[in-house]
Amino acid sequence: MKFSEVIGQQEVQQLLMHLVEEERLPHALMFNGPAGAGKMALALAFASYLLGEENEGKSLLSSPSSVRNAEAMLKAWQHPDLIFAYPVIKPAGASSEYQASSDDYAKEWRTMLSHGPYFTMDAWLTAMGAANQQAIIGVGESTALIRKLSFKANQGGYKVAVIWMAERMNASCANALLKLIEEPPEGTVFLLVCEEPEKLLPTIRSRVQQIGVKAIAEEDITQALIHRRGITPDDARHVARLATGNWLRALEILNQDNENKLFLDNFIQLMRQAYKRDIRALKDWSLTMADYGRERQRRMLIYFGHMVRENFMYNFRQPDLNYMTQDEERFSRNFARFVNETNVIPLAELFDRAFRDIGQNANAKMVFFDVALQTIMLLIRK
């Protein structure tokens, strides 16, 4: 994968190239930043360059035939010196003692990458056939990494280990990885991709060079939409503004059947039934929400918090301050007045707390019914 496939982020690209050119490449880098900013795309492009992919006519391999061979293997994501680690679920039928690793889903992973470097955890869970399971990077992964990195590079250059969603490592895996990072095999480069670095062990964070990846510039998203999706400049600028630096969000907006429409419907139901104080309807609502997988529940709660903030800002009647779709704005015209100075913070905290509880495997029926009851009390605040 070439850097030209990364949307925006030229500053980070230049930094990475300078690290190699000036022979200052650390043995461990961590790309962190918001969702949809292109962290994984940058990691994949950099890994490809380290393994011989050409970038602007430059390659770390001297032989043209070696370059062609490396690029052919990288195109299928089957280069022997490129190692992936990512969150997985336990395969169906596996025993309770079985330690899952990325090898169990290598085929699904390569298929996912073949569609592009921008994807969500939910898309990956779907690819694995997960139901309500939470994907983690466990001790089976660290065992596999130690074994794979014990061999010398097959092609004689770098060995690159890309660890996607590194914050999902459990304690056993994180401690084992810490030892690898402290004493890395010769010629090994670790590329960690992370959205919530605070969840990583502090000792790991202190031993990697962090690469902050900012939200994608609005103009870069606009140009990508025009050239990659073939939409008009005016439409591209509108979508880019709503996307707020998130390429995945931009693609969702383009999709008329996207998940956010479902989330908006659920938000509207919650607010309308809470306003009417219809306990029975709210109980039915909470049961429906509890049937979603935990990853979708967490994304929905993030969306609810977003809608609270947008409705509060809508009251100021400053269009430049609002980032809502037409459907969202249509609802907010009448609803926004119910989100005010007295309840905006408690409402946001309510959804943040529910997000945390769901992540800690709390009973979803209880969490969402509590959200519903608390919403009644907060909407009547004056």
Side-chain angles (χ1 to χ4, degrees):
M1 175 182 167
K2 298 184 183 295
F3 277 112
S4 58
E5 298 175 59
V6 179
I7 298 171
Q9 308 298 357
Q10 282 78 15
E11 186 177 337
V12 177
Q13 294 182 36
Q14 292 171 7
L15 169 63
L16 295 173
M17 295 302 294
H18 286 158
L19 289 175
V20 176
E21 292 168 359
E22 298 172 5
E23 298 183 352
R24 295 188 294 110
L25 179 63
H27 65 274
L29 295 171
M30 182 169 72
F31 298 85
N32 58 64
K39 301 179 295 298
M40 187 60 168
L42 285 163
L44 291 173
F46 191 47
S48 297
Y49 178 71
L50 292 177
L51 294 173
E53 181 93 55
E54 277 193 347
N55 180 59
E56 297 181 351
K58 298 178 182 178
S59 172
L60 297 186
L61 300 178
S62 56
S63 165
S65 62
S66 297
V67 173
R68 288 194 298 271
N69 184 48
E71 291 184 342
M73 291 186 290
L74 288 166
K75 186 176 182 180
W77 297 113
Q78 291 186 320
H79 195 292
D81 296 326
L82 176 60
I83 300 167
F84 287 110
Y86 37 83
V88 295
I89 60 173
K90 189 168 292 188
S95 67
S96 58
E97 294 80 18
Y98 183 77
Q99 300 293 343
S101 74
S102 298
D103 292 337
D104 295 312
Y105 295 95
K107 180 180 178 181
E108 292 83 354
W109 179 253
R110 286 195 294 271
T111 300
M112 173 75 72
L113 292 182
S114 71
H115 296 306
Y118 296 86
F119 52 87
T120 63
M121 174 57 71
D122 188 55
W124 174 231
L125 288 171
T126 300
M128 289 190 291
N132 289 327
Q133 303 102 310
Q134 292 203 65
I136 65 166
I137 304 177
V139 68
E141 197 67 66
S142 57
T143 301
L145 278 172
I146 292 171
R147 174 177 53 80
K148 293 172 184 177
L149 293 176
S150 65
F151 300 104
K152 290 186 177 180
N154 184 280
Q155 302 297 302
Y158 287 108
K159 285 182 77 75
V160 182
V162 177
I163 305 176
W164 180 61
M165 300 297 281
E167 64 266 40
R168 289 188 175 239
M169 287 187 288
N170 65 16
S172 298
C173 180
N175 285 315
L177 181 65
L178 174 61
K179 294 178 182 178
L180 271 177
I181 292 178
E182 287 178 330
E183 300 177 9
E186 185 178 356
T188 297
V189 177
F190 292 94
L191 302 180
L192 282 66
V193 179
C194 193
E195 287 186 5
E196 299 177 283
E198 67 278 2
K199 291 185 177 180
L200 277 172
L201 288 178
T203 45
I204 289 181
R205 295 201 304 268
S206 67
R207 286 165 174 76
V208 301
Q209 179 170 329
Q210 299 195 36
I211 304 292
V213 181
K214 300 177 182 178
I216 305 172
E218 189 172 308
E219 180 58 26
D220 289 327
I221 291 183
T222 299
Q223 293 303 315
L225 289 169
I226 294 171
H227 298 296
R228 300 187 186 199
R229 298 290 162 166
I231 67 175
T232 66
D234 285 344
D235 287 342
R237 282 189 286 271
H238 176 69
V239 172
R241 182 176 181 276
L242 294 178
T244 59
N246 184 334
W247 176 248
L248 294 171
R249 168 70 173 148
L251 297 182
E252 287 178 354
I253 294 169
L254 289 180
N255 181 1
Q256 295 302 308
D257 297 319
N258 68 73
E259 189 178 59
N260 279 7
K261 285 189 175 294
L262 173 65
F263 292 167
L264 174 59
D265 289 342
N266 292 337
F267 183 79
I268 292 173
Q269 289 179 37
L270 171 62
M271 295 304 163
R272 285 178 175 169
Q273 301 304 334
Y275 177 75
K276 293 190 292 186
R277 307 182 196 183
D278 190 336
I279 303 298
R280 181 174 302 222
L282 287 170
K283 183 178 180 181
D284 291 340
W285 177 88
S286 64
L287 292 175
T288 301
M289 300 306 103
D291 285 337
Y292 292 171
R294 290 189 181 273
E295 295 297 334
R296 172 170 280 190
Q297 290 167 353
R298 284 160 61 101
R299 289 196 308 279
M300 183 174 66
L301 288 164
I302 292 174
Y303 177 84
F304 284 6
H306 159 78
M307 283 299 292
V308 167
R309 289 186 289 274
E310 290 301 319
N311 274 270
F312 179 68
M313 297 306 297
Y314 189 85
N315 292 311
F316 292 95
R317 305 298 177 185
Q318 297 290 328
D320 290 344
L321 299 178
N322 272 121
Y323 295 86
M324 292 191 287
T325 65
Q326 291 181 341
D327 288 340
E328 291 168 347
E329 186 175 356
R330 192 175 297 116
F331 169 69
S332 298
R333 287 171 191 159
N334 295 320
F335 174 72
R337 60 194 174 92
F338 294 100
V339 181
N340 50 58
E341 292 86 350
T342 64
N343 63 11
V344 59
I345 292 177
L347 277 169
E349 290 176 343
L350 172 65
F351 298 130
D352 286 343
R353 190 163 56 250
F355 176 89
R356 179 202 64 200
D357 292 343
I358 291 296
Q360 295 176 348
N361 293 320
N363 184 299
K365 294 179 183 178
M366 295 179 63
V367 170
F368 282 103
F369 193 46
D370 179 66
V371 164
L373 296 178
Q374 293 292 333
T375 301
I376 293 176
M377 302 304 297
L378 292 172
L379 283 186
I380 63 176
R381 284 194 178 186
K382 300 293 184 180

